[in-house]
Amino acid sequence: MSPAPVGPAAGPTGQPPAGVAPPPVGPAPRRRLPLVLAAVLVLVLVAVGLVVVRPGPVERWLGDAPATPTASGAVEPAPVPVLAAADSGAPPPSTDGLRSALEPLIDDDALGGRVNVAVADALTGEMLFDRGGREGTVPASVTKLLTAVTVLTARGPGHRIPTRAVAGKQPGEVVLVGGGDPTLAADAKGFYPGAASLTELAEQVRAALGGVTPTRVVVDSSRYPGPVYGPGWDDDIPTGGYGGAITALMLDGARKSPKAGRGWAERVAEPDLVAGRAFAELLGVPVDTVRKGTAPASTATTGATDPVGGAGPGAELGVVYSPPLIRLVDIMISESDNIVAEALARQVALARDRPASFDGAAAAMAEVVSELGLPTGALDLADGSGLSRKNLISPVLLTELLALAASPDRPELAGIFGGLPVAGWSGTLRDRYGAAPGTAAGAGVVRAKTGTLTRVHAIAGVVTTTEGRLLTFAVLTDDVPPDGMEPARAALDRIAAALAGCGCR
């Protein structure tokens, strides 16, 4: 079965526009656990959940949305807070108390034969409960938490991914160079809000050519060396609507139609060629002339004379940029967008001078996790989305990673909380907590990333106990009966709800 609904690569010359923070340089410092961890996380949660009581895309943080809604005549009811406040002075649960509360729930037959769990105190970093917590377990989409933290570390929240058009080698030839932006759209009606558009890029090209009409479009998607499908992906992933071909150039996350809803969507088989044909149409070039190729070296390097409108081979004719990575991380986590996840994983590879492939991204992500001082003993990665059954992550790694993201030592990582679904309220937890017996205590209190593949079910996030203590937790199981998705999800939710509903001392 395919996973739950949906989860870039700039070249060496791809720099963000003025005002965008450059990516960090050099290896990240080793992790140190701050004493004020919980207090900082409370501030993060206030920013994304209590002040903005309706969690959503972080574009509102960045000033793109109006400060006040447009008057419509309708009066909205007063908003209701959906995240409980944490208290750094609240007593932590005891290991014995957690064992008494959790072990009967972990032994639920609905969770299958292998359930690994870790619960930690966010303030002190102390591991409060560990049952198989250091064992590598197939994580499904919970992998995206690692993707988020590693890309924000390697690139920085403000990095933008370029898509360029350059002059080709032959007269009249324009090369469309994919940098890895998965949100690129043909026009302003694309799937992802705020995405760069080929319409704007085409306008830049026409201006650069000074009225000279191009005669052919070449598509350069060589930034990703392939393969386009991941190792360990189920056979139905390429055509099942939750994954697709991962290429350095695509429109709307490789969707066949930008009007497709969230979650399942039909994907095109060759996203780069589809994008090239859309670009050719915008330039008035016959779409049947579009072919794959590579951009020539710049004129400054070759000294060649120009074949197109006064610009030499390789000369830039236009460039558009993706939204900042912090927005892409928000999209990836809140909607579990697998295509965006694989693009972000390749950004980690590029930042670490590795090939922008599945293998290169996995190696680069593991390298960054190690640099951050997180436990890697059970870590084995094959992709950035969690579609691969070859991925192995331990619950302990996830709990420590979540605590690190709230640390004042790494403020750039706090962005992962902006899209983290809230139980019974948003994202992949929108329809969970409340209906199943024993889960209501987690509604509005649990904030977590979920993961689902056939036989694999996972949840990892943060929760505030009834006494106000902030905890990080992860529950992973990869041996659930194939027809047991709904019972397994309810069993996972009861574990998280138990943390929310007890003092456990």
Side-chain angles (χ1 to χ4, degrees), residues 5-6 57 191 193 242 255 259-265 334-335 427 430:
V6 296
F191 178 81
Y242 292 111
R255 288 168 174 80
K259 296 180 180 179
R262 294 176 177 178
W264 186 95
S334 63
E335 297 302 328
R430 186 182 297 113

Side-chain angles (χ1 to χ4, degrees), residues 334-350:
S334 63
E335 297 302 328
S336 202
D337 192 312
N338 296 308
I339 305 297
V340 171
E342 296 301 345
L344 292 178
R346 281 158 178 74
Q347 283 296 304
V348 184
L350 292 170

